[in-house]
Amino acid sequence: MEILGATLRVCVDDLDTAIPFYERLAGGRALRFERGGVQVAAVGSFLLMSGPEAELEVLRKVAATIAVENVTEAHRLLTELGARVIAGPVPTPAGRNLLAMHPDGSIFEYVDQSD
């Protein structure tokens, strides 16, 4: 499994207020979407999230989003190494994802992109 990159997850109170700062910081435009009642903006290496506190409480437990070539391969390797897949793989607007708890207890989201 090759790790292609990582995205830092940032929960914010007001997405509209936070986006201009991160756009200037990252030097790019935000890609906005909604997932499960949470407003999301992807800006460079940052994934900004805003929404109901109950949803954000769960999202805060995920340390980072890791981009991989193939989520199915990530699932196989993670399981082989002793990680526990909590959810997925499931389709997303851009590809597929899964959530995995590593043996040390940290939780990461793994994502791939559709062709």
Side-chain angles (χ1 to χ4, degrees):
M1 172 183 80
E2 181 180 351
I3 294 176
L4 305 174
T7 302
L8 305 171
R9 300 163 66 95
V10 182
C11 295
V12 298
D13 291 332
D14 184 341
L15 201 60
D16 292 326
T17 301
I19 285 175
F21 171 84
Y22 284 94
E23 284 181 333
R24 298 253 345 251
L25 181 66
R29 302 284 302 160
L31 171 63
R32 293 183 70 151
F33 56 96
E34 182 179 337
R35 183 138 187 232
V38 175
Q39 297 295 315
V40 182
V43 187
S45 294
F46 299 97
L47 192 62
L48 310 176
M49 299 172 288
S50 183
E53 185 54 39
E55 296 292 329
L56 295 180
E57 184 179 337
V58 172
L59 295 172
R60 284 187 182 102
K61 294 178 182 177
V62 179
T65 298
I66 299 172
V68 296
E69 186 75 27
N70 186 294
V71 163
T72 302
E73 172 64 16
H75 184 282
R76 184 196 62 74
L77 182 60
L78 287 162
T79 303
E80 181 181 300
L81 294 173
R84 182 169 61 91
V85 175
I86 299 169
V90 297
T92 70
R96 298 174 299 158
N97 79 338
L98 67 79
L99 291 177
M101 180 182 292
H102 292 187
D104 64 11
S106 56
I107 299 173
F108 292 90
E109 176 187 34
Y110 289 83
V111 300
D112 66 15
Q113 293 185 340
S114 299
D115 295 335

